[in-house]
Amino acid sequence: MKTKLFYVVMGLALGLNPLKAQQTPAYLDDTQPIEVRIKDALSRMTLEEKVKLCTAQSKFSSHGVPRLGIPEIWMSDGPHGVREEILWDSWGNAEWTNDSCTAFPALTCLAATWNPQMSAIYGKAVGEEARYRRKDILLGPGVNIYRTPLNGRNFEYMGEDPFLSSTMVVPYIKGVQSNGVATCVKHYALNNQEAWRGHIDVELSDRALNEIYLPAFKAAIVEGGSWSIMGSYNKVRGEHACHNDLLLNKILKGEWKFDGCVVTDWGGAHDTKEAALNGLDIEMGSYTNGLSSGKNFAYDNYYLASDYLKGIKDGTYPLSGLEDKATRILRLIFRTAMNSKRPWGSFTTEAHYDVARTVAEEGIVLLKNEAYKKKGTILPLDGNKYRTILVVGENATRRLTEGGGSSVLKVKKEVSPLTGLQTKFGDKIKYTLGYASGSAAYDSENEATYNTDSLHAEAVKQAADADLIVFVGGLNKNHFQDSEGADRKSMALPFGQSELINDLLKVNKNIVVVLLSGNAVEMPWVKNIPSILQAWYLGSESGNAIANVLTGEVNPSGKLPFSFPVKLADNAAHSFGTISYPGDSIKEIYKEDILVGYRWHDTKKIPALFPFGHGLSYTQFKYGKAATDKNNLSGAEEITVSVPVKNIGSVKGKEVIQLYVGEEKCSVLRPLKELKSFQKIELAPGEEQTVSFKIGVGALKFYSETAHDWVSEPGRFKLYIGSSSTDIRSTVSFILN
Ligand code: BGC
């Protein structure tokens, strides 16, 4: 007894409280509410430690608080899989051997499923891979709007429509974050092209900003609850987006009440004062321009490092600003790295390959499938009908998970389209390259340089003898294709593919074209090709998914998330000269305003080659007459519109029933119609289902430049129900009082 008392007294004399020592500090105790933990951690931190939180310590990690055991934040690209480890302070590959991931389909494909359930399983699976790889932030998903087919990064985004991308992004975020891994929605905002992305100053109306470019980000934050967001490289109304008062302070943190972290794009910070005051929290990649360059330097030189500390100490910047940044960063850490309840994740599992394949199969879009020579359609492909099937095209074998910039993936498995077809048809499959990317491409396996003319001639020769040709082409992930850092130079198919298709047609008309790309391409041969499939970039299970859809094992049900114009000049952004795209190198004005994508094609009566929402099936769906439960709508009421849909073909299939709304007369210009709801249903042959949608006044509003708010105007509204934005099967109208 005496000895125990002695130790307690001695302990107290030494400043240690043996009773208290047994108590876990609140910030380490995850039975405590996060806000209590943050407060406690902040109370223990020095000014220097708080500032340190705000900058990178390596290419993909930011500082923790080592003294308190608060861990660093580890990040990874995103968004289609978890990127390989790279070196501490250079873009070189770290040559780990445990980091080959599952590649999921590109986000354009996910959007093309028009199925939020696909986003949910995708998010959960890619989040599990990130968690297994001990990442705290997955850098994605991307929701920049598809404004021009030239944007090199469209494949990383979810298409041209704010409602579709908002609907699809939310379950992805929830899925990832259920693993205790934060999403980092990017690139906020208006990074709709790669040309001059580092400095182009985007000007647009408040209406276009609110109606077209912000909704998906808002949904990601307000409904999805993303724990972080990435600022974009470009300027918006004169300020860089990574420290932009309007975008970050007023809209994101003000109106949307975002409580997470704003992370710069890599090298997106440019100024200490703006970084300190305009809403930035974590600065990454300074002194590098994305992937293209980087140099060794001390992280202390970052805008939010020594200069910021000095400014806080001498009163230039308010302490409250730093407290806010540190609070947000700690909140992110407690939600992720210091959340002991988060699951452990898993990596390259069969379940993940199943998710990758299912999403791929559901996102592939059957663009065209016409009867050929009165013999019926080629697709679904019945192998018994053919002795030889000639596969032509580089994309049949090219690894398309490689390249593209920061979304590049090192994968454990990538089934090519050729392998997928060989698995189905064995020796019937013959293959010839037909074209090669670049004027003279090097074939490393055979140590030879291809002569593109002879590749072309050889394919035409073999085509004459083949029963069926499956042409697998499109774009790839090279610079000036679907790739970060530059835009495409034109909308044409590159590497002489269109010329090749035309020459193949001269000797054999039995051709299926499969396009792998994240963007619309010109199709000068479209009238002569009976069957065309848009197969995006599909990741690890690419070839299996394509073969399953070609053969009809899976009935295609994808719908285009963006319009395919006939030619570039038909696209809205390209209709107003270079100031509208790509800008004059300093400034760019979004002159098409709210008329983006189908809103432009519809309103200006410029038909698209393949319209937004288009996608065929191997079965047919008959729509009945749409009916509403009332003819007048007022106040907080909702109107219900219902339509019966029946599968009148002979195979099971899925259909996306799309609901567009248009106002007949309004004091401001409105698009002819806008997507406001959709549902994907599955029907067996002969089965009928009545699909109902509820529309409230919110869906009828436009953003008023004068009221600076969303407003509705009374009048007659038309509801268009269809199988695409132009294949409208039934309309019904009502009056808004
Ligand atoms: C890209 C981001 C990416 C980052 C880190 C940047 O070049 O724009 O999307 O997350 O690099 O790799």
Side-chain angles (χ1 to χ4, degrees):
M1 187 64 196
K2 258 188 188 166
T3 12
K4 198 168 173 193
L5 193 67
F6 171 79
Y7 281 120
V8 170
V9 171
M10 280 304 286
L12 286 172
L14 289 169
L16 306 168
N17 181 346
L19 302 173
K20 210 174 168 193
Q22 288 163 11
Q23 243 179 11
T24 313
Y27 78 96
L28 288 176
D29 176 1
D30 67 5
T31 62
Q32 297 283 340
I34 282 188
E35 300 309 311
V36 172
R37 299 177 73 189
I38 296 170
K39 224 170 151 202
D40 181 51
L42 283 174
S43 74
R44 296 167 193 265
M45 286 166 66
T46 65
L47 198 65
E48 285 75 7
E49 284 169 336
K50 289 175 190 168
V51 171
K52 268 253 139 97
L53 287 180
C54 303
T55 54
Q57 59 166 8
S58 76
K59 277 274 179 277
F60 278 101
S61 67
S62 60
H63 292 100
V65 190
R67 184 178 61 86
L68 298 176
I70 294 177
E72 302 150 354
I73 298 177
W74 279 89
M75 317 179 186
S76 171
D77 286 303
H80 311 134
V82 186
R83 189 174 175 177
E84 69 184 333
E85 296 299 327
I86 62 153
L87 296 171
W88 187 261
D89 194 24
S90 87
W91 292 105
N93 155 8
E95 301 193 2
W96 289 21
T97 54
N98 62 347
D99 56 352
S100 300
C101 68
T102 305
F104 297 89
L107 293 193
T108 35
C109 173
L110 177 61
T113 67
W114 289 59
N115 185 348
Q117 186 51 34
M118 291 296 118
S119 288
I121 59 171
Y122 186 130
K124 179 167 178 288
V126 72
E128 281 167 357
E129 299 234 335
R131 172 67 187 104
Y132 186 79
R133 289 268 313 282
R134 301 177 183 213
K135 303 303 175 191
D136 306 306
I137 302 182
L138 183 69
L139 303 171
V143 286
N144 294 85
I145 287 291
Y146 190 109
R147 179 173 179 254
T148 156
L150 299 193
N151 179 12
R153 291 188 90 172
N154 278 335
F155 70 101
E156 291 184 63
Y157 304 140
M158 297 200 186
E160 72 186 25
D161 183 72
F163 182 81
L164 177 65
S165 45
S166 299
T167 309
M168 296 302 289
V169 75
V170 169
Y172 178 113
I173 291 169
K174 291 188 172 162
V176 170
Q177 293 193 163
S178 67
N179 292 286
V181 174
T183 50
C184 191
V185 185
K186 62 196 192 183
H187 306 88
Y188 183 67
L190 300 161
N191 185 180
N192 304 104
Q193 69 191 46
E194 289 300 281
W196 297 314
R197 67 173 178 175
H199 63 267
I200 197 79
D201 187 6
V202 177
E203 250 190 43
L204 79 173
S205 69
D206 276 345
R207 191 162 170 216
L209 181 67
N210 282 281
E211 290 190 17
I212 307 292
Y213 296 99
L214 291 185
F217 288 104
K218 183 176 181 184
I221 300 305
V222 176
E223 292 166 52
S226 182
W227 294 331
S228 69
I229 190 167
M230 185 187 290
S232 59
Y233 281 130
N234 50 288
K235 288 183 175 174
V236 177
R237 295 185 183 164
E239 266 177 357
H240 271 102
C242 285
H243 30 68
N244 185 297
D245 186 50
L246 173 71
L247 289 179
L248 303 178
N249 287 339
K250 298 208 167 75
I251 298 177
L252 176 72
K253 293 181 174 177
E255 282 174 35
W256 302 348
K257 306 206 173 352
F258 175 62
D259 70 358
C261 285
V262 174
V263 181
T264 60
D265 199 339
W266 270 230
H270 298 272
D271 179 75
T272 298
K273 183 172 173 205
E274 286 188 9
L277 303 178
N278 288 354
L280 176 62
D281 300 308
I282 302 181
E283 179 186 355
M284 299 298 296
S286 291
Y287 315 108
T288 68
N289 165 21
L291 283 174
S292 55
S293 62
K295 61 181 178 191
N296 287 337
F297 57 91
Y299 288 88
D300 286 348
N301 291 340
Y302 270 46
Y303 299 99
L304 283 183
S306 316
D307 268 0
Y308 184 41
L309 179 63
K310 189 167 150 285
I312 297 266
K313 283 189 173 160
D314 67 19
T316 310
Y317 309 123
L319 190 59
S320 58
L322 175 62
E323 292 286 321
D324 181 60
K325 293 183 203 301
T327 298
R328 290 167 180 276
I329 298 165
L330 288 169
R331 191 176 288 128
L332 186 128
I333 294 173
F334 290 131
R335 283 169 165 168
T336 59
M338 289 183 84
N339 166 7
S340 68
K341 294 185 192 83
R342 64 175 175 167
W344 297 103
S346 53
F347 200 55
T348 55
T349 60
E350 278 311 311
H352 291 179
Y353 291 126
D354 283 348
V355 168
R357 195 182 52 258
T358 307
V359 174
E361 289 166 347
E362 215 167 288
I364 291 173
V365 179
L366 180 61
L367 292 177
K368 185 176 173 190
N369 199 23
E370 276 178 5
Y372 165 67
K373 275 194 188 162
K374 296 193 182 125
K375 280 193 211 153
T377 54
I378 300 177
L379 301 182
L381 203 163
D382 175 359
N384 296 324
K385 286 193 191 160
Y386 309 99
R387 274 173 305 120
T388 55
I389 300 173
L390 178 66
V391 177
V392 183
E394 192 186 76
N395 279 353
T397 52
R398 191 183 171 100
R399 290 174 76 88
L400 290 165
T401 52
E402 288 171 5
S406 57
S407 63
V408 57
L409 293 174
K410 177 170 123 192
V411 294
K412 201 163 191 175
K413 154 169 133 180
E414 179 172 352
V415 180
S416 72
L418 182 64
T419 306
L421 286 165
Q422 281 166 335
T423 308
K424 298 271 183 225
F425 302 117
D427 291 348
K428 280 191 183 177
I429 299 288
K430 308 279 175 252
Y431 177 60
T432 184
L433 202 51
Y435 72 90
S437 38
S439 57
Y442 186 68
D443 170 11
S444 53
E445 225 166 82
N446 300 311
E447 296 188 344
T449 301
Y450 290 125
N451 175 326
T452 47
D453 289 343
S454 64
L455 291 179
H456 185 112
E458 177 63 23
V460 175
K461 191 173 129 220
Q462 292 193 30
D465 299 330
D467 290 345
L468 174 73
I469 299 163
V470 179
F471 181 89
V472 187
L475 304 177
N476 61 33
K477 303 280 191 72
N478 279 355
H479 203 54
F480 299 124
Q481 299 288 313
D482 281 325
S483 184
E484 183 178 338
D487 284 348
R488 295 165 69 199
K489 291 180 170 168
S490 88
M491 218 188 107
L493 268 179
F495 323 125
Q497 292 177 75
S498 283
E499 295 75 5
L500 176 59
I501 293 173
N502 280 330
D503 285 347
L504 294 173
L505 276 166
K506 285 180 194 154
V507 298
N508 192 335
K509 297 212 165 357
N510 223 7
I511 304 182
V512 176
V513 168
V514 179
L515 293 171
L516 275 57
S517 75
N519 255 318
V521 298
E522 275 172 13
M523 302 184 204
W525 32 261
V526 70
K527 286 206 172 69
N528 302 318
I529 295 287
S531 297
I532 308 171
L533 214 63
Q534 175 60 37
W536 316 114
Y537 297 115
L538 299 176
S540 287
E541 287 282 327
S542 177
N544 290 335
I546 289 171
N548 285 344
V549 169
L550 285 173
T551 56
E553 242 163 90
V554 170
N555 191 350
S557 65
K559 300 276 186 179
L560 291 179
F562 51 84
S563 315
F564 276 50
V566 176
K567 53 186 191 304
L568 196 58
D570 292 351
N571 165 276
H574 293 270
S575 302
F576 296 93
T578 52
I579 191 65
S580 178
Y581 174 88
D584 65 3
S585 92
I586 296 165
K587 184 185 277 188
E588 182 181 24
I589 306 173
Y590 284 15
K591 292 210 159 187
E592 75 285 6
D593 200 42
I594 52 162
L595 297 183
V596 175
Y598 68 90
R599 289 165 165 79
W600 171 261
H601 289 284
D602 265 9
T603 313
K604 298 286 176 186
K605 302 197 168 44
I606 301 171
L609 177 62
F610 294 109
F612 174 78
H614 170 75
L616 305 172
S617 163
Y618 295 144
T619 187
Q620 275 98 44
F621 299 98
K622 187 169 174 285
Y623 287 55
K625 226 180 126 30
T628 54
D629 63 343
K630 44 174 99 66
N631 302 323
N632 290 277
L633 185 67
S634 26
E637 284 176 6
E638 282 182 325
I639 193 161
T640 302
V641 53
S642 308
V643 65
V645 180
K646 185 172 184 182
N647 180 346
I648 54 164
S650 53
V651 287
K652 184 172 80 176
K654 290 182 184 169
E655 169 71 329
V656 180
I657 296 100
Q658 304 165 34
L659 173 70
Y660 298 83
V661 180
E663 180 164 19
E664 286 191 354
K665 272 194 208 112
C666 184
S667 62
V668 297
L669 172 79
R670 300 203 73 171
L672 182 75
K673 60 184 185 312
E674 301 177 88
L675 183 74
K676 292 295 172 184
S677 198
F678 62 86
Q679 276 181 48
K680 192 165 195 174
I681 58 166
E682 183 168 43
L683 295 175
E687 191 181 345
E688 181 176 284
Q689 190 180 319
T690 295
V691 177
S692 297
F693 302 94
K694 280 191 190 319
I695 292 290
V697 178
L700 312 177
K701 292 182 174 176
F702 63 90
Y703 188 87
S704 159
E705 297 269 342
T706 44
H708 303 291
D709 203 356
W710 291 86
V711 299
S712 59
E713 275 183 12
R716 181 174 290 277
F717 285 80
K718 201 162 167 184
L719 302 173
Y720 304 77
I721 295 187
S723 179
S724 84
S725 61
T726 58
D727 184 4
I728 299 301
R729 305 291 181 87
S730 187
T731 60
V732 53
S733 56
F734 67 91
I735 306 280
L736 176 68
N737 297 322

